[in-house]
């Protein structure tokens, strides 16, 4: 066999090994979390709040964190949506394709995307101090909303980019304004993709812990007020694994499983939806 | 003005406002954090803050050097593991993989990106810590007892563990960016090389990767920024204790993000403490921002030139 | 020139599908040695596909199915035993738009020899000079051999691609509309080089420019919607076409 062939097979082997490592690490992670969490999971876990304090009490479940995360996730997603959608429409319909302004906007969104969530958390914290606010659901919604804003806006932007120029042109040619074109032609075309973008951002929002550490704090009770602290799944995991009591740690493992399932479900739903809607979309 | 054009004008100005807000957000964050960190910047010289190793807030000593070194250690280990694996995976996926494998691997990469950092932390505690504690650490301390392996920390919560967990967390960004830049290399270029009788690997090595090199470097820079700023997973597995300078991959590490996350409760009571912690956040912001500006800048430029 | 030469490439019942679409249908032909063969026909009739099945580059497309045989020097190239890199080394390829590799002019020409294992710098230098001269580019680039190839003009780039193809010492040169991106002067330059090269090489050129085919070709293949309608010596195809479709195409009625 000649040397070139040997070299090629060596590298092919290395590449396959890498793929196996990458795919394997996901399975490893999910497997670990599932096995450990499955034992901890019970109906009580899902429908009760922790009894006697989340850090010390050995009874009860993680309902506080589940509801808290969902409420926080929905709030933050709505907040981000209100900003992202106009932004994505602006980038694709109001600015010309290669305009300088669009270039700068996308660049800023990409850079914001890369800023770590702990920095968002610290920033949210300084803003809270500035306005003399307490850690609360509202503060968390705003912080997480800003955190997922670039993710959502950029994903929507990518979706809107796929719209053929001829389509918007045809709409303009009939005398439609850009807003009408956006609302009646474009957004319908890419609805599936937009829903996917929203779901992905929701998944990021409920999964992040560093940004809510300062801003949401933690509590044993269910979320009932915008101005009170709220429990979240990631922090439920983090705090409850930090205790020396196995019973409390169980709650952490259960929370990890619930969180993993939630995120998996959301991303799979996102995939299915974008696949389903694109069948009706012109390309 | 008709109702239609009125709506249009309103929508347009609304969008411009939102766009302006997003652009200003980056500056707002930098400015806000700087403002809060200012008290310590005016009382202590910068080199003391960055290069001194003594961290003792109640005594008014705020040397961040240990935390900075820890961050660099952890990031370096993560990249040493993640870069080859990710780049090979990306090349395989875009050049060799049959559609079937691609259709499995792409969602896997997306899922890895979507998993919560805390879940990574749980995985680290349950799976990686025991592996490091029971297998790697005994092996290295027996057979290679010198720098950078010698250590007396037998808990498994250490720099290496954090690096491994972080490596997996940086897979998605490096893989997806590399795959995109590699697949953007024009098809005709490969044809031109193959037509000369090059094997597929030669074509990739000598032509495709050469063309894609700036993009791959950008992918790695973005990976650096991801690893640099990751907080919760690291906080859960790195040990987070100060034992002086971290000298071994088996010593505990205490990176900057973990410091910020860990001290949030106590920092309001000690003078200058909050300023020091927010200075750490400010440093983190600057470094990750620079990485992202460099990374995305390279990518956007190559995209604009059509590769 | 009119006497039928020994065929260098032959196809037997070559049929190619992309997915469900049939692009080439039952093509049997012979391409004579050391002559210029032009493949003509309206766009989308499978000219490029036919060209790329000669060196198996079509295999790079997704979902492609090939049946029938292609014989080069009597060997069936779709035989799994055959070494595809050796086959491709035998054939130079010139594409529509010049594809210079992302490296210096020198390295572009030396690339092919290097991948086939030549490391001797002096020898490479001689090869580079020889083939750049052959492609009529040496005098223009001798002072900037190590500058980036991407800074050459499009016409120069195409000649560089030709030099690069010649440097691996092929026997056949396949060209896919090699002048369609070039200005008239560069086109003329390339055509002159082809007339020189045909003494030593078999040249197959896909073109949709009939005048180019008339100027260059000794032998012509006319493809229409994936079928080989007619083939034969150039003067016969152009002067006394046998088929109505060939005549219509040459007269510009179908395109």
């Amino acid at each position: 066999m000649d040397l070139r062939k040997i070299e090629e097979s060596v590298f092919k082997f290395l590449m396959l090994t890498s793929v196996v490592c990458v795919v394997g690490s996901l399975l490893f992670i999910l497997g670990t979390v599932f096995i450990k969490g499955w034992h901890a999971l019970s109906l009580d876990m899902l429908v009760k709040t922790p009894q006697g304090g989340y850090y010390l009490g050995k009874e009860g479940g993680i309902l506080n964190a589940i509801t808290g995360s969902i409420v926080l996730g929905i709030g933050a997603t709505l907040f981000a949506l209100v900003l992202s959608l106009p932004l994505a429409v602006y980038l694709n319909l109001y600015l010309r394709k290669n305009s300088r302004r669009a270039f700068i906007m996308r660049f800023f969104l990409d850079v914001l995307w890369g800023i770590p969530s702990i920095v968002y958390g610290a920033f949210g914290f300084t803003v809270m101090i500035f306005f003399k606010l307490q850690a609360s659901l509202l503060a968390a919604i705003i912080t997480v909303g800003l955190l997922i804003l670039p993710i959502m806006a950029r994903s929507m932007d990518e979706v809107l980019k796929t719209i053929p120029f001829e389509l918007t042109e045809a709409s303009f040619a009939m005398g439609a304004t850009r807003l009408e074109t956006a609302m009646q032609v474009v957004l319908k075309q890419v609805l599936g993709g937009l829903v996917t973008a929203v779901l992905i951002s929701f998944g990021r929002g409920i999964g992040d812990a560093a940004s809510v550490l300062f801003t949401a704090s933690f509590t044993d009770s269910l979320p009932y007020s915008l101005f009170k602290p709220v429990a979240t799944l990631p922090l439920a995991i983090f705090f409850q694994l930090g205790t020396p009591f196995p019973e409390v740690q169980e709650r952490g493992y259960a929370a990890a499983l619930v969180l993993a399932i939630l995120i998996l479900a959301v991303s799979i739903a996102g995939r299915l939806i974008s696949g389903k809607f694109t069948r009706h979309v012109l390309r | 003005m008709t109702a239609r054009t009125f709506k249009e004008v309103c929508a347009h100005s609304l969008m411009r406002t939102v766009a302006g807000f997003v652009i200003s957000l980056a500056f707002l964050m930098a400015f806000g954090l700087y403002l809060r960190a200012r008290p310590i910047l005016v009382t202590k010289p910068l080199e003391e803050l960055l290069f001194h190793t003594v961290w003792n807030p109640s005594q008014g000593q705020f040397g961040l050097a240990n935390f900075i070194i820890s961050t660099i250690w952890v990031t370096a280990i993560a990249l040493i593991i993640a870069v080859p694996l990710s780049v090979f995976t990306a090349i395989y996926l875009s050049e060799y993989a049959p559609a079937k494998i691609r259709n499995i691997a792409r969602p896997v990469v997306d899922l890895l990106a979507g998993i919560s950092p805390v879940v990574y932390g749980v995985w680290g505690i349950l799976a990686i810590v025991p592996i490091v504690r029971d297998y790697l650490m005994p092996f290295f301390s027996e057979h290679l007892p010198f720098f950078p392996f010698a250590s007396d920390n037998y808990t498994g919560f250490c720099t290496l563990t954090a690096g491994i967990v972080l490596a997996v967390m940086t897979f998605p960004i490096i893989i997806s960016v590399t795959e995109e830049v590699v697949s953007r290399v024009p098809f005709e270029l490969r044809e031109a090389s193959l037509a000369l009788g090059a094997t597929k690997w030669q074509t990739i090595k000598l032509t495709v990767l050469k063309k894609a090199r700036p993009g791959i470097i950008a992918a790695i820079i973005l990976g650096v920024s991801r690893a640099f700023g990751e907080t919760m997973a690291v906080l859960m597995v790195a040990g987070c204790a100060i034992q002086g300078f971290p000298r071994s991959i088996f010593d505990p590490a205490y990176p900057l993000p973990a410091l910020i996350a860990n001290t949030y409760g106590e920092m309001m009571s000690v003078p200058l403490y909050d300023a020091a912690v927010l200075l750490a956040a400010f440093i983190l912001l600057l470094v990750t921002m620079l990485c992202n500006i460099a990374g995305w800048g390279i990518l956007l430029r190559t995209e604009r030139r059509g590769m | 020139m009119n006497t039928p030469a020994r065929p260098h490439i032959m196809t037997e019942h070559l049929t190619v599908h992309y997915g469900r679409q049939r692009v080439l249908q039952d093509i049997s032909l012979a391409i004579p040695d050391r002559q210029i063969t032009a493949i003509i026909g309206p766009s989308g009739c499978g000219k490029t596909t036919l060209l790329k099945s000669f060196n198996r580059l079509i295999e790079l497309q997704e979902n492609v199915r090939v049946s029938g045989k292609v014989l080069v020097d009597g060997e069936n190239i779709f035989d799994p035993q055959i070494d595809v890199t050796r086959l491709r080394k035998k054939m130079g390829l010139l594409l529509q738009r010049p594809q210079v590799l992302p490296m210096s002019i020198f390295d572009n020409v030396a690339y092919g020899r290097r991948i086939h294992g030549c490391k001797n710098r002096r020898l490479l230098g001689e090869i580079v000079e020889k083939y750049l001269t052959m492609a009529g580019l040496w005098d223009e680039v001798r002072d900037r051999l190590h500058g980036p190839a991407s800074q050459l003009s499009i016409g120069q780039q195409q000649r560089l691609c030709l030099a690069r193809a010649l440097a691996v010492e092929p026997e056949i040169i396949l060209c896919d509309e090699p002048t369609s991106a070039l200005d008239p002067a560069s086109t003329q330059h390339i055509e002159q080089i082809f007339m020189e090269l045909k003494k030593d090489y078999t040249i197959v050129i896909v073109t949709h420019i009939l005048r180019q085919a008339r100027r260059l070709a000794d032998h012509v293949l006319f493809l229409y919607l994936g079928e080989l309608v007619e083939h034969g010596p150039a003067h016969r195809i152009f002067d006394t076409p046998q088929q109505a479709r060939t005549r219509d195409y040459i007269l510009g009625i179908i395109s």
Side-chain angles (χ1 to χ4, degrees), chain A:
Chain A
M1 211 155 71
D2 88 72
L3 211 65
R4 303 195 300 167
K5 292 262 167 64
I6 296 170
E7 186 187 343
E8 173 138 26
S9 8
V10 167
F11 276 96
K12 246 177 140 168
F13 173 76
L14 284 177
M15 285 187 246
L16 264 173
T17 320
S18 308
V19 175
V20 170
C21 282
V22 170
V23 176
S25 58
L26 179 75
L27 297 179
F28 193 11
I29 293 166
L30 293 181
T32 311
V33 172
F34 268 73
I35 289 168
K36 197 76 186 175
W38 191 248
H39 292 292
L41 206 59
S42 63
L43 191 63
D44 272 8
M45 204 54 109
L46 296 177
V47 298
K48 285 194 178 159
T49 54
Q51 313 288 311
Y54 65 86
Y55 195 78
L56 298 171
K58 294 172 185 166
E59 300 291 314
I62 51 170
L63 186 66
N64 58 337
I66 297 175
T67 48
S69 262
I70 289 176
V71 170
L72 169 59
I74 291 175
T77 307
L78 286 179
F79 177 60
L81 180 64
V82 169
L83 295 176
S84 307
L85 195 60
L87 210 55
V89 170
Y90 182 65
L91 276 172
N92 286 284
L93 271 107
Y94 284 74
L95 296 178
R96 244 173 283 120
K97 204 168 164 52
N98 280 322
S99 80
R100 206 177 172 74
R101 208 180 281 183
F103 181 81
I104 293 172
M105 283 293 315
R106 293 200 169 100
F107 187 65
F108 264 84
L109 285 173
D110 287 338
V111 170
L112 283 176
W113 189 336
I115 292 175
S117 62
I118 186 78
V119 174
Y120 280 90
F123 174 66
F125 181 68
T126 62
V127 173
M128 267 164 46
I129 292 175
F130 186 76
F131 288 110
K132 308 235 175 339
L133 288 173
Q134 259 192 316
S136 61
L137 176 58
L138 182 66
I141 284 178
I142 293 172
T143 310
V144 176
L146 291 179
L147 173 75
I148 60 178
L149 166 68
I151 303 174
M152 198 190 283
R154 250 340 225 128
S155 321
M156 287 184 166
D157 176 38
E158 291 297 325
V159 173
L160 286 182
K161 262 189 197 167
T162 61
I163 299 237
F165 179 64
E166 292 74 16
L167 187 72
T168 48
E169 206 179 35
S171 169
F172 292 150
M174 288 185 295
T177 63
R178 282 185 281 208
L179 184 64
E180 286 160 350
T181 307
M183 304 304 279
Q184 288 159 28
V185 181
V186 172
L187 293 189
K188 262 184 212 156
Q189 271 283 317
V190 293
L191 192 63
L194 296 183
V195 173
T196 305
V198 170
L199 283 177
I200 287 173
S201 318
F202 175 77
R204 287 296 161 85
I206 59 172
D208 197 72
S211 59
V212 291
L213 198 57
F214 307 136
T215 52
S217 191
F218 201 79
T219 169
D220 283 351
S221 61
L222 298 176
Y224 62 94
S225 162
L226 270 179
F227 304 101
K228 287 281 180 309
V230 61
T232 50
L233 280 169
L235 289 184
I237 301 166
F238 177 64
F239 287 137
Q240 300 186 15
L241 285 190
T243 68
F245 311 113
E247 295 89 342
V248 179
Q249 289 185 351
E250 291 287 280
R251 281 209 300 267
Y253 296 132
L257 179 58
V258 171
L259 182 57
I261 290 176
L262 260 175
I263 291 175
L264 270 185
V266 166
S267 11
I268 291 170
R271 242 163 212 285
L272 291 180
I273 287 173
S274 74
K276 191 163 179 177
F277 275 80
T278 43
R279 258 188 274 150
H280 306 284
V281 170
L282 297 168
R283 289 258 172 213

Side-chain angles (χ1 to χ4, degrees), chain B:
Chain B
M1 199 192 272
T2 66
R4 284 178 60 205
T5 49
F6 179 68
K7 262 196 225 162
E8 171 75 17
V9 169
C10 283
H12 197 166
S13 51
L14 181 89
M15 288 174 192
R16 259 195 245 162
T17 318
V18 173
F21 169 70
V22 169
I23 297 252
S24 59
L25 188 61
F27 294 109
L28 218 63
M29 281 169 82
F31 184 68
L33 290 177
Y34 172 73
L35 222 56
R36 300 281 311 170
R38 228 178 90 85
I40 199 164
L41 286 170
V42 292
T43 47
K44 306 255 175 193
L46 192 60
E47 60 268 26
E48 186 189 321
L49 293 168
L50 293 183
F51 301 120
H52 276 211
T53 55
V54 183
W55 174 260
N56 197 345
S58 51
Q59 304 292 315
Q61 287 171 308
F62 297 102
L64 290 169
N66 276 336
F67 305 102
I68 295 173
I69 302 281
S70 280
T71 315
I72 293 171
W73 265 97
V74 169
T75 306
I77 292 175
L79 286 171
I80 289 169
I81 300 170
V83 167
L85 288 176
S86 309
V87 171
F88 276 136
T89 301
I91 296 170
Y92 183 79
L93 290 184
S94 68
E95 301 289 312
Y96 286 94
K100 229 167 147 187
I101 293 187
R102 225 178 297 160
N103 291 340
I104 298 172
R106 290 230 171 99
V108 165
V109 173
D110 287 350
L111 280 180
L112 277 177
I115 289 182
S116 164
V118 185
V119 173
Y120 276 100
V122 172
W123 172 63
I125 292 175
L126 291 176
I128 304 300
V129 166
I131 292 177
V132 171
R133 183 186 57 211
D134 300 338
Y135 299 101
L136 294 179
M137 172 75 193
F139 175 82
F140 279 106
S141 58
E142 191 162 320
H143 299 284
L144 302 161
F146 45 77
F147 177 85
F149 305 115
S151 170
D152 50 6
N153 167 31
Y154 291 95
T155 58
F157 290 87
C158 63
T159 314
L160 179 65
T161 314
I164 294 172
V165 173
L166 267 184
V168 179
M169 298 184 77
T170 49
F171 283 161
I173 181 97
I174 306 183
I175 292 177
S176 56
V177 174
T178 306
E179 205 194 329
E180 202 192 315
V181 291
V182 167
S183 63
R184 225 192 285 143
V185 174
F187 183 69
E188 288 77 10
L189 205 62
R190 292 159 222 248
E191 268 190 345
S193 168
L194 288 172
L196 294 171
T199 62
K200 197 158 180 177
W201 173 247
Q202 282 177 319
T203 301
I204 292 166
K205 184 177 69 174
L206 299 171
T207 308
V208 176
L209 288 188
K210 188 148 191 193
K211 192 88 180 170
R213 191 159 61 191
I216 295 174
I217 290 171
I220 294 171
I221 295 176
L222 293 176
V224 169
S225 127
R226 183 85 216 270
F228 208 83
E230 182 43 51
T231 311
M232 296 311 276
V234 175
L235 181 59
M236 290 165 82
V237 298
C240 293
I242 314 176
Q243 292 189 341
F245 224 62
R247 273 175 243 281
S248 157
I249 59 173
F250 296 107
D251 277 348
Y254 202 164
L256 280 176
L259 169 74
I260 305 169
N262 240 354
T263 46
Y264 81 103
E266 50 194 282
M267 66 192 184
M268 296 309 286
S269 47
V270 181
L272 287 182
Y273 199 173
D274 65 322
V277 171
L278 289 169
L279 174 66
F282 183 62
I283 294 171
L284 214 56
L285 175 76
L286 282 189
V287 172
T288 51
M289 236 178 181
L290 282 179
C291 283
N292 276 278
I293 288 172
W296 291 115
I298 294 172
L299 286 176
L300 284 171
R301 253 188 55 182
T302 51
E303 189 176 1
R304 264 200 156 181
R305 274 185 315 187
M307 283 293 282

